[in-house]
Amino acid sequence: MTLDISSAPIASDTTDHAPPTDHAPPAGLAELAGRRVRALLAHDLPASLAVFLIAVPFSLGIALATGAPLTAGLVAAAVGGLAAGLLGGTHLQVSGPSAALTVVTAGVIAQYGWQIACLVTVAAGLLQLLVGSLRVARAALAISPAVVHGLLAGVGVTVAIAQLHVILGGSPQSSALADLRSLPAELAGPHPPALAVGLLALAVLYGWPKLDRLPGPAGRFGARLARLPAALVAVAAATTLSLIAELSLARVELPLWEHHRFFAPPSPGVLADHWAALLGLVLTVAAVAGVESLLSSVAVDRMTRRTGDLDRELRAQGVSNLLSGLLGGLPVAGGAVRSTANVQAGAATRASAVLHGCWVLVAALLLTAGLRRIPLAALAALVLVVGVQMVSFAHIRRVHRHREFPVYLATVLGVVLLGVPLGVVLGGSVAVLLALYRLTRAHVEVIVEPDGSRTVRTHGPLTFMAVPGLSRAFARIPAGARVTVRHDGSFLDHAAFEALHAWRADHRATGAQVSMLTDHQAQEVLDPDGTVLVDDAPGPHRCSAWTPWVGHHCIEQNEDDPHVRLLHGVRGFQQHTAPLVRHELARLARDGQTPSQLFLTCADSRMVTSMITSSGPGDLFTVRNVGNLVPAPYEPGAADDSVAAAVQYAVEVLEVSSITICGHSGCGAMKALLDGVTEQTGPPTALARWLRNGRGSLARLRRAPAEFEGRAAVDEAEQLCITNVVQQLDQLMVNPAVERRVADGSLRLVGMYFDFAAAQAYVMDGRSGRFAPVHAEPAQESEPELAA
């Protein structure tokens, strides 16, 4: 199942930020409520209708493919929309009947009956609730993507083959192999009415989205028509054809709701006789539905550029499966097809998923007469297309590029031939064996240098399994030859270590010179101050990444030109760091920047924002100036539009969600303010004019100085540093764009201070106004609330 993330719109979050009030609500609260109502009507309502039109035929088709009562598909769709939509941790994900569990559910129904299938769904929901409560949802993402994609592809192949029988007018068999064996007979004698309806549905499903490719005015008209869901048009066209031509063929057998089969506890004897098999089925349903939901959640987060709560999402899926099983519905999972349609339809909040569940419920209660006219062949065509789409060639190319195709192929064949549980176990076993093979495989290369010396390069982990290859390589080196052994820095076990050093001792005994290095560390030559050397870095700059190089021994001491030193540092980046970050930087160059925060700090060379925030390229929109000042427009002769322009761009164009002003210890600008640089007589210098923007901080220091939580300021300069942060936050609110976003709750202002000597960051607590330390581990008591 594929997700198109290239053109998905970015939806804005509308979480509650309204402050409590004892009297009449402020005008901002009413305005915020009005904006939410307008967003609901403009975005969520149309999106919910679009998803509803896809969900109804899709839910009926999944129920048909599993052999369950068709009402079970509608129950699962309604419960998934209402329960998972209200409780889920991914804002725009839409849940419903799980396509990945079609084969499993069909097997349970065929072997044990519908009531046992409902029991399995209920138990799987309880298990998902338990796992979600343990907050280990992200561990599910550790499953090899090749296994997940292979599972979806195997299920897709199985479902497509089974539904092909329905299109031909027959009935699917109990397994994919049985379906394949009986397929020639079905092809030899198809049922013409069912085949005609099925082919029409297939033609619409594949052709409808391509109407916008028609030339000229027809293309523009086709683009408008293509906005209608292809699944709805295909089912409607096939149903219309069958009614106009009065075709005699099987149609949807939707029972009356008073005859709907709700969950009923099975007899204890059945549970006692089959408890082991049922436990395995519960684990399978919980795992497959959970992983499908979490993968869909991650994909939706990428589309919407949000960060969801996967544990909350898993708990919501557990509640949905529990309710769906009790109400006689199919297993529920977050669906890629429905979620993608929701995002592309312009949904803004989770209300679209909830409304879609309401529409499904209304249709199930009021439109049963119309649903009973739908030919089964039309629904089979819809499910067949979904099954084919689950075999993604993009996924195949990706796993092949990462050398995981054996895992993918083993999972696909295992699911098709052995079923989902054994297929996943087979694929996982191949993934483990492949990983063990790669972890124990090493390549040894002997290079003859122009001066007659030898360089032995090793790639990969050197374990006991690599010792024979090492011995053969060393045996080819003539006695007395100078040798350099270069290892790529990966794992080296005791057996390989002994083999290397025993050979080195023997070779040195012949009078030869042996050097043993890694690509990132010279093991025999370390600097006196412990700085790590990189032996193959170009020029005199031999520091590894993130090593301070000014005044350290990793710079050759005869190199005094700062420009040359910097150039060597750039060359070191090109050799060692650029290959590691090139893929991510290429993505950023292609997709553009989408930072979540504006970080305004001082130009001090010691202030490395990416280091103290553990951020990378594209995370922070950074503004640096002397003293981390935000010029206020009412300061005469001190206004500066460059900072205001950067703030406006971050707030209105980039739509950052927070702005952090970060001061630091030992700030020269604050010391200059205390020394009265702005009060000196004579024409002011450029620096003096700029520092006039800090005079408000000096006044605040005398009036209401900021304080630390749990300690006193070291001196007046440090107290001015943190007071300046508070003052600049106030001056930031003069910007109309900032004031507007803060008022509606979509922007948060944060005050921060960094103490260089202690390497300690402090964050301003919004309740107390004091600067509290940020601890490495969350404290037992409440964390400081960020200033807003």
Side-chain angles (χ1 to χ4, degrees):
M1 197 174 300
T2 59
L3 290 174
D4 180 12
I5 65 174
S6 60
S7 60
I10 303 174
S12 59
D13 192 3
T14 54
T15 52
D16 292 331
H17 294 86
T21 179
D22 296 328
H23 306 288
L29 183 60
E31 182 183 353
L32 179 61
R35 289 181 57 186
R36 289 179 176 173
V37 172
R38 289 193 295 272
L40 177 67
L41 296 176
H43 301 287
D44 293 326
L45 182 60
S48 69
L49 292 172
V51 178
F52 157 71
L53 295 177
I54 295 173
V56 170
F58 186 72
S59 302
L60 292 174
I62 293 295
L64 172 68
T66 60
L70 296 187
T71 50
L74 299 176
V75 169
V79 170
L82 293 170
L86 287 171
L87 305 176
T90 305
H91 288 80
L92 301 186
Q93 174 150 280
V94 182
S95 300
S98 171
L101 284 170
T102 302
V103 177
V104 176
T105 307
V108 176
I109 295 173
Q111 187 170 0
Y112 299 105
W114 174 240
Q115 294 303 331
I116 294 294
C118 291
L119 174 65
V120 169
T121 303
V122 170
L126 292 173
L127 182 58
Q128 287 179 324
L129 265 174
L130 174 62
V131 174
S133 301
L134 296 177
R135 306 190 67 81
V136 294
R138 287 196 176 273
L141 301 180
I143 300 175
S144 170
V147 174
V148 176
H149 297 323
L151 164 65
L152 295 177
V155 171
V157 169
T158 305
V159 168
I161 295 173
Q163 297 312 300
L164 185 56
H165 284 273
V166 180
I167 294 176
L168 295 172
S171 299
Q173 306 300 312
S174 58
S175 67
L177 284 178
D179 284 330
L180 287 173
R181 284 195 295 265
S182 60
L183 190 57
E186 293 283 0
L187 290 171
H191 184 241
L195 182 60
V197 167
L199 290 178
L200 174 62
L202 288 174
V204 173
L205 286 168
Y206 281 107
W208 193 261
K210 301 177 182 178
L211 290 177
D212 57 347
R213 301 180 186 178
L214 296 174
R220 293 191 292 271
F221 180 70
R224 289 193 289 269
L225 288 179
R227 296 175 183 174
L228 291 174
L232 176 68
V233 177
V235 172
T239 303
T240 302
L241 173 64
S242 67
L243 294 176
I244 293 177
E246 298 182 352
L247 300 178
S248 176
L249 72 175
R251 301 182 185 274
V252 168
E253 296 179 3
L254 194 66
L256 298 175
W257 282 104
E258 51 265 27
H259 298 151
H260 176 69
R261 300 171 64 184
F262 293 92
F263 169 72
S267 63
V270 175
L271 299 180
D273 293 340
H274 304 285
W275 68 270
L278 294 178
L279 178 60
L281 290 170
V282 170
L283 293 174
T284 300
V285 171
V288 173
V291 171
E292 182 183 10
S293 300
L294 295 178
L295 291 175
S296 178
S297 295
V298 172
V300 171
D301 284 342
R302 289 174 182 170
M303 282 190 284
T304 59
R305 293 179 172 87
R306 295 181 177 182
T307 301
D309 186 338
L310 295 185
D311 294 297
R312 178 179 171 182
E313 182 64 34
L314 187 58
R315 292 194 296 271
Q317 297 297 329
V319 172
S320 299
N321 276 303
L322 175 62
L323 293 176
S324 182
L326 291 174
L327 296 175
L330 292 171
V332 173
V337 173
R338 294 178 292 266
S339 301
T340 303
N342 191 39
V343 173
Q344 292 180 341
T349 70
R350 64 180 76 250
S352 60
V354 177
L355 287 174
H356 130 270
C358 296
W359 306 142
V360 172
L361 185 61
V362 170
L365 296 176
L366 302 181
L367 302 179
T368 53
L371 296 177
R372 290 191 183 100
R373 299 176 181 272
I374 299 176
L376 294 184
L379 294 180
L382 173 61
V383 178
L384 183 146
V385 170
V386 172
V388 171
Q389 290 176 345
M390 292 171 75
V391 185
S392 170
F393 288 101
H395 291 159
I396 294 175
R397 287 192 297 270
R398 191 174 300 123
V399 298
H400 185 270
R401 185 169 63 249
H402 292 284
R403 299 181 298 164
E404 297 283 341
F405 186 73
V407 179
Y408 178 88
L409 183 61
T411 308
V412 172
L413 295 179
V415 169
V416 172
L417 301 178
L418 305 175
V420 171
L422 293 178
V424 171
V425 170
L426 178 61
S429 301
V430 174
V432 170
L433 292 175
L434 187 60
L436 289 175
Y437 169 73
R438 289 172 177 170
L439 287 174
T440 56
R441 186 184 64 171
H443 176 68
V444 183
E445 180 183 13
V446 179
I447 303 172
V448 180
E449 303 294 348
D451 60 357
S453 63
R454 303 296 194 274
T455 298
V456 180
R457 282 192 171 272
T458 65
H459 307 278
L462 293 181
T463 65
F464 64 95
M465 298 183 66
V467 171
L470 278 174
S471 301
R472 287 193 296 268
F474 289 147
R476 298 198 300 268
I477 298 175
R482 183 163 61 89
V483 179
T484 300
V485 180
R486 303 172 69 95
H487 183 41
D488 63 3
S490 55
F491 181 71
L492 177 72
D493 76 353
H494 184 69
F497 177 84
E498 289 289 345
L500 278 170
H501 286 269
W503 172 83
R504 181 176 68 166
D506 293 341
H507 197 67
R508 279 180 170 177
T510 65
Q513 179 183 354
V514 179
S515 299
M516 303 185 73
L517 307 172
T518 70
D519 282 347
H520 300 290
Q521 179 180 0
Q523 293 182 337
E524 295 190 331
V525 183
L526 290 177
D527 264 34
D529 66 348
T531 301
V532 178
L533 301 186
V534 182
D535 61 281
D536 58 350
H541 194 299
R542 297 179 292 147
C543 294
S544 61
W546 290 106
T547 301
W549 47 266
V550 177
H552 279 260
H553 294 285
C554 55
I555 304 295
E556 291 184 3
Q557 297 305 305
N558 59 0
E559 184 57 73
D560 296 326
D561 188 343
H563 172 70
V564 175
R565 189 186 306 161
L566 180 65
L567 184 59
H568 286 312
V570 174
R571 288 172 178 162
F573 164 81
Q574 293 298 146
Q575 179 164 354
H576 297 289
T577 308
L580 303 177
V581 300
R582 184 169 288 118
H583 177 75
E584 176 63 13
L585 293 181
R587 184 190 67 79
L588 290 171
R590 182 180 66 251
D591 298 342
Q593 62 168 332
T594 56
S596 60
Q597 301 179 55
L598 166 61
F599 200 88
L600 196 153
T601 188
C602 188
D604 193 295
S605 64
R606 299 166 294 177
M607 196 68 183
V608 184
T609 58
S610 58
M611 180 178 67
I612 67 173
T613 60
S614 299
S615 57
D619 292 338
L620 301 180
F621 187 71
T622 306
V623 176
R624 304 182 69 141
N625 61 54
V626 175
N628 46 274
L629 301 176
V630 180
Y634 52 76
E635 285 286 348
D640 181 276
D641 288 339
S642 64
V643 177
V647 171
Q648 183 178 0
Y649 183 79
V651 172
E652 295 186 346
V653 179
L654 299 178
E655 296 183 339
V656 297
S657 58
S658 73
I659 300 178
T660 299
I661 295 183
C662 183
H664 64 87
S665 61
C667 181
M670 298 301 104
K671 293 178 181 178
L673 282 172
L674 288 174
D675 292 341
V677 68
T678 60
E679 308 301 331
Q680 294 176 357
T681 59
T685 64
L687 180 60
R689 286 197 302 273
W690 169 254
L691 289 179
R692 287 175 180 174
N693 296 293
R695 289 185 296 191
S697 301
L698 275 175
R700 194 184 196 106
L701 178 66
R702 305 185 193 100
R703 183 180 71 254
E707 297 178 347
F708 288 102
E709 184 76 45
R711 76 170 180 90
V714 174
D715 51 26
E716 189 180 23
E718 185 176 52
Q719 194 145 43
L720 178 58
C721 287
I722 58 175
T723 303
N724 178 61
V725 170
V726 180
Q727 177 65 24
Q728 301 312 310
L729 288 172
D730 285 352
Q731 293 182 188
L732 191 62
M733 286 292 290
V734 178
N735 188 302
V738 175
E739 184 181 20
R740 183 171 57 254
R741 290 275 312 274
V742 171
D744 66 24
S746 63
L747 180 66
R748 170 170 285 181
L749 304 185
V750 180
M752 183 180 292
Y753 173 79
F754 188 75
D755 185 348
F756 287 127
Q760 176 65 59
Y762 295 81
V763 173
M764 180 180 169
D765 192 311
R767 294 185 292 265
S768 66
R770 293 186 175 94
F771 284 78
V774 178
H775 300 290
E777 295 293 336
Q780 294 300 319
E781 52 272 2
S782 60
E783 287 289 325
E785 180 179 312
L786 300 181

